[in-house]
Amino acid sequence: MSSTHPPVRASDGDRDRAISELRDHAVEGQISHDTFLGRVDRALRARSRVELTDLVSDLPPSSRWRRRLTDAVASVSDLTTRIETAWRRPRLPRLALPVDSRTRYVVGRGSECDLILTDLTVSRVHAELRRDSETWLLVDLGSLNGTRLNGWRLVGPARVREGDEISFGECAFLVAAPVA
């Protein structure tokens, strides 16, 4: 009587490695964009490591020097992005949180908004700042280009503090201390 073991279940890490290998081969022109997309879809649905191995088994082995060169370029690109972000952040216009008794401020392009931004990436009624006891919450109101807090797109209300970077579409601000 032979015992067969079930295939080893694919982990998220296994999927990430397979997709990364597929991406590298697509970048090097060894597989077409359509093939890449089809295999990524199959990788995301794979239940076992065997299925993931089959997705990359027909691909030529990646050369070490290409992998190192690609990693070096990615590192330089990441460093450049970080430097640009650090350089840009202190130059952002300040947005001082109000200290009056109002609890809601609407931001957008529309004339009925409390803070009117004329940039076309800002929706007519884009977001709102809500006072909740002693803190402020930032809420996106279904804008097309999104509202971001410290680079993260909002999917729900988020607490805003002094020093945070908030963006309405492409309009970015640095939150400053409340002005009396």
Side-chain angles (χ1 to χ4, degrees):
M1 186 172 177
S2 73
S3 77
T4 58
H5 297 286
V8 177
R9 187 178 177 114
S11 69
D12 289 339
D14 295 330
R15 281 187 186 80
D16 289 345
R17 283 187 287 281
I19 291 170
S20 178
E21 189 172 343
L22 290 168
R23 184 191 64 235
D24 292 344
H25 286 283
V27 167
E28 293 175 7
Q30 295 171 344
I31 59 174
S32 71
H33 182 69
D34 291 337
T35 301
F36 170 72
L37 292 177
R39 289 188 184 191
V40 166
D41 183 54
R42 287 176 38 205
L44 293 173
R45 289 186 283 121
R47 294 180 182 253
S48 70
R49 287 185 183 169
V50 172
E51 291 178 61
L52 293 172
T53 302
D54 290 346
L55 290 174
V56 296
S57 63
D58 65 327
L59 301 174
S62 296
S63 64
R64 282 188 183 161
W65 71 269
R66 274 191 184 167
R67 167 61 97 182
R68 287 184 179 162
L69 180 62
T70 303
D71 289 346
V73 169
S75 294
V76 169
S77 177
D78 183 49
L79 176 65
T80 303
T81 301
R82 288 181 184 194
I83 290 171
E84 287 174 357
T85 301
W87 183 260
R88 181 178 68 95
R89 187 173 172 91
R91 290 169 171 67
L92 290 175
R94 304 293 189 253
L95 178 65
L97 297 172
V99 291
D100 60 8
S101 61
R102 289 182 55 193
T103 59
R104 182 175 185 253
Y105 290 87
V106 178
V107 180
R109 271 193 356 253
S111 59
E112 70 280 1
C113 294
D114 301 299
L115 173 60
I116 299 172
L117 303 173
T118 58
D119 191 286
L120 293 177
T121 63
V122 177
S123 297
R124 278 181 290 183
V125 179
H126 195 99
E128 74 176 0
L129 283 164
R130 285 187 208 151
R131 189 188 327 257
D132 182 25
S133 66
E134 295 298 317
T135 62
W136 284 93
L137 296 175
L138 181 62
V139 180
D140 184 77
L141 298 176
S143 64
L144 180 64
N145 293 309
T147 303
R148 297 183 183 277
L149 176 63
N150 297 322
W152 294 92
R153 188 167 181 157
L154 295 183
V155 293
R159 192 167 159 206
V160 178
R161 298 178 192 99
E162 182 181 353
D164 284 343
E165 181 179 330
I166 57 176
S167 301
F168 309 101
E170 295 296 320
C171 289
F173 299 91
L174 198 60
V175 176
V179 177

